Structure formats: C-alpha cells, structure tokens
Amino acid sequence: MKKEDCIFCKIANGEIPANALYEDEVVKVIFDLSPASRGHVLILPKNHFDNVYSLDSQTAAHIFQVAVKIANGLKTALNCEGLNIVQNNGEAAGQTVMHFHMHLIPRYKQDTVNITWVPGENSEQKIEELKAKIIPYL
C-alpha cells in the first residue's frame, strides 16, 4: 500500500525518477542525493511503512537479504574497506522522511563520515531491570 503524499513511495514506485541501482517487486535501491560517502545508497520498500515499528517480518527479511546483496556488490565494485548500515526511526533518532528506509554507507580509510556516540556505562543490575521491563512486550 502506498501513501499518496509520501515522496519515498513515489520514488520507490517509479512516479518520480531516481537513479536506481537495483529493483525487485518489494524494494527499490537508489543512490542517495546527499551521500555520506561514494556509493551511499538507500533501500526503499515499495509499500509504505512509517518506520521499523510498522514493518512486517516478511518485508523486513527481504530488505535485509537485499542489503547483503548490495553490500557485497559495493565491497567488490568500490573496494570499500567497511560499511555502515543505518536505519533511523522517529525524529529523535534522526529520521527526516517518515517512510522506512535503510542506508548502506560504504566506508573508506580517512573518510569524513562520522557515526558515533559517547559510550555510556552498564551494570548487571541495570541490564536485569531493562530485561524485566522489555521482555513482557516481546
């Protein structure tokens, strides 16, 4: 199902032209217009999902199968030395287009890509408290 006012739905379904790298019945993979590095692509499902919370398991599995295929192609063709897979959910996490999408960002030594955070601390007690809160919802 598409969402009429969603730009990624329009791109994924061919209503807006895009430089597609790969396409099948479920997804379209396009080059990012503001790439973090050479070869940066987005995987867009053709059906609309706002984020990972609304994604069905079959589509999620397919997206990750395509991610593996594309990642291997990027590594071989571009000789990248690493790869980040980035997927943001919600404005607080940096999501700017409210259509699920996955970034594949090839990494090269001495590139300018910066995906980092300040490490926190954890303890067995904190972990056990978190597990007790989360497990009932799984």
Side-chain angles (χ1 to χ4, degrees):
M1 180 168 73
K2 295 187 307 182
K3 189 173 178 184
E4 290 303 316
D5 63 344
C6 175
I7 190 161
F8 277 3
C9 281
K10 291 177 181 181
I11 292 169
N13 290 285
E15 294 175 42
I16 295 174
N19 287 314
L21 175 64
Y22 173 85
E23 183 173 5
D24 62 28
E25 65 283 351
V26 178
V27 300
K28 183 179 276 192
V29 179
I30 65 169
F31 286 94
D32 195 302
L33 292 179
S34 300
S37 72
R38 185 171 66 102
H40 178 173
V41 296
L42 303 175
I43 301 175
L44 309 175
K46 292 183 175 181
N47 285 329
H48 184 84
F49 302 94
D50 287 335
N51 48 46
V52 72
Y53 310 116
S54 62
L55 197 61
D56 65 81
S57 59
Q58 185 175 356
T59 303
H62 184 79
I63 289 168
F64 216 88
Q65 289 169 345
V66 170
V68 170
K69 178 186 294 193
I70 300 299
N72 281 306
L74 293 170
K75 181 170 178 46
T76 302
L78 302 180
N79 200 31
C80 56
E81 296 155 301
L83 180 91
N84 288 114
I85 296 176
V86 178
Q87 201 284 303
N88 304 318
N89 296 282
E91 192 175 322
Q95 185 179 10
T96 57
V97 179
M98 299 306 158
H99 178 112
F100 177 94
H101 56 287
M102 181 182 286
H103 296 259
L104 274 62
I105 305 171
R107 298 302 302 273
Y108 307 92
K109 285 184 182 170
Q110 301 170 353
D111 66 24
T112 60
V113 179
N114 186 15
I115 301 172
T116 187
W117 56 86
V118 176
E121 294 183 16
N122 229 338
S123 68
E124 287 297 319
Q125 180 181 348
K126 288 179 184 177
I127 291 169
E128 289 304 317
E129 289 170 4
L130 288 168
K131 285 169 54 176
K133 286 183 178 181
I134 298 167
I135 288 174
Y137 298 100
L138 301 181

